């Protein structure tokens, strides 16, 4: 097992369209090792998701592992460790929701991104079997963020820039000046 270095914004690998894997490749030892390194790296750096291009492998593989606890400690929103290969994303509800996003490849930056609130992801699992996930709310944003990495897109590309009010900030200033109020219709994603 190995913790890999994470590619940072500016490295060309983050701008490439990741190659899909063949069934034979999915079932190979190489892919098992890649996924193991992705999980270990994600855990080491404290992400809730990671895409293969972030560890310099331009293939269509992403891992998501997210769990949110309610105030009483019960799990209210979770995506247990999921490996997503060759995913296709379909918007089920294009009403947009905003979250402040972060990314292991864009350290120390937060940006407010509006994305569709409900999506379906069709993908292959590690056994090369077709699977489907419907994600809503925060998880819909998590999946869209990770899958964007497979298409050369970073969350900063999706921030709506305008003179005088661009919602992008360093983490420290974000926490000081921009953290959403509880009633705001926006949340946080620090991936
Ligand atoms: Ni990211």
């Amino acid at each position: 097992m190995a913790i890999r270095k994470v590619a940072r914004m500016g490295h060309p690998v983050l701008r490439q369209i990741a190659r899909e894997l063949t069934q034979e490749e999915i079932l190979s030892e190489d892919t098992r090792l890649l996924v193991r390194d992705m999980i270990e790296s994600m855990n080491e750096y404290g992400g809730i998701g990671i895409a293969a291009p972030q560890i310099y492998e331009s293939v269509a593989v992403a891992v998501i592992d997210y769990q949110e606890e309610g105030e009483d400690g019960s799990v209210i929103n979770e995506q247990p460790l999921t490996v997503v290969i060759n995913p296709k994303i379909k918007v089920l509800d294009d009403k947009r929701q905003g979250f402040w996003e972060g990314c292991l490849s864009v350290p120390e930056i937060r940006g407010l991104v509006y994305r569709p609130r409900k999506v379906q992801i069709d993908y292959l699992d590690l056994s090369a079997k077709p699977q489907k996930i419907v994600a809503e709310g925060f998880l819909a944003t998590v999946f869209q963020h990770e899958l964007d990495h497979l298409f050369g897109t970073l969350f900063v590309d999706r921030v709506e820039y305008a003179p005088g009010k661009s919602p992008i900030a360093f983490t420290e200033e974000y926490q000081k000046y921009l953290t959403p109020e509880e009633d705001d219709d926006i949340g946080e994603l620090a991936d």
Side-chain angles (χ1 to χ4, degrees):
M1 299 237 261
I3 293 163
R4 305 267 204 104
K5 193 176 158 200
V6 171
R8 303 205 312 171
M9 180 170 63
H11 195 286
V13 73
L14 295 173
R15 294 313 196 172
Q16 290 167 15
I17 296 188
R19 180 177 70 77
E20 293 202 340
L21 295 181
T22 64
Q23 174 159 353
E24 194 183 352
E25 285 176 311
I26 292 170
L27 300 173
S28 71
E29 180 72 2
D30 280 357
T31 298
R32 269 184 1 96
L33 292 175
L34 168 69
V35 167
R36 220 163 62 173
D37 285 356
M38 287 172 68
I39 293 168
E40 194 163 298
S41 303
M42 174 180 72
N43 291 337
E44 169 71 14
Y45 301 120
I48 59 178
I50 194 166
Q54 292 184 275
I55 58 166
Y56 303 87
E57 304 270 2
S58 189
V59 292
V61 181
V63 174
I64 282 147
D65 185 8
Y66 174 70
Q67 185 166 308
E68 184 180 330
E69 287 182 358
E71 279 171 18
D72 62 355
S74 62
V75 174
I76 54 173
N77 193 3
E78 79 167 331
Q79 184 62 47
L81 185 61
T82 305
V83 179
V84 169
I85 300 171
N86 298 353
K88 303 277 181 295
I89 196 158
K90 192 162 80 185
V91 174
L92 298 183
D93 182 350
D94 62 6
K95 185 169 182 289
R96 300 194 320 157
Q97 58 182 1
F99 284 99
W100 282 89
E101 298 187 21
C103 181
L104 297 175
S105 295
V106 191
E108 299 302 316
I109 299 277
R110 291 285 181 274
L112 178 60
V113 180
Y114 286 87
R115 299 180 187 267
R117 61 170 302 283
K118 189 173 180 183
V119 293
Q120 175 178 320
I121 299 100
D122 291 283
Y123 64 97
L124 302 177
D125 65 17
L126 271 174
S127 309
K129 297 229 161 53
Q131 303 287 350
K132 177 179 96 172
I133 287 175
V134 173
E136 293 187 66
F138 179 69
L139 272 177
T141 278
V142 173
F143 274 99
Q144 289 171 83
H145 176 118
E146 293 311 326
L147 270 48
D148 263 357
H149 279 298
L150 306 180
F151 295 92
T153 299
L154 298 172
F155 79 89
V156 292
D157 305 337
R158 298 199 182 276
V159 170
E160 287 166 18
Y161 295 92
K165 55 177 181 184
S166 294
I168 189 161
F170 288 104
T171 305
E172 192 182 327
E173 280 72 12
Y174 161 73
Q175 284 165 348
K176 209 161 161 186
Y177 304 114
L178 299 166
T179 308
E181 301 288 327
E182 285 207 9
D183 298 337
D184 276 4
D185 199 20
I186 54 180
E188 290 180 82
L189 160 62
D191 126 335

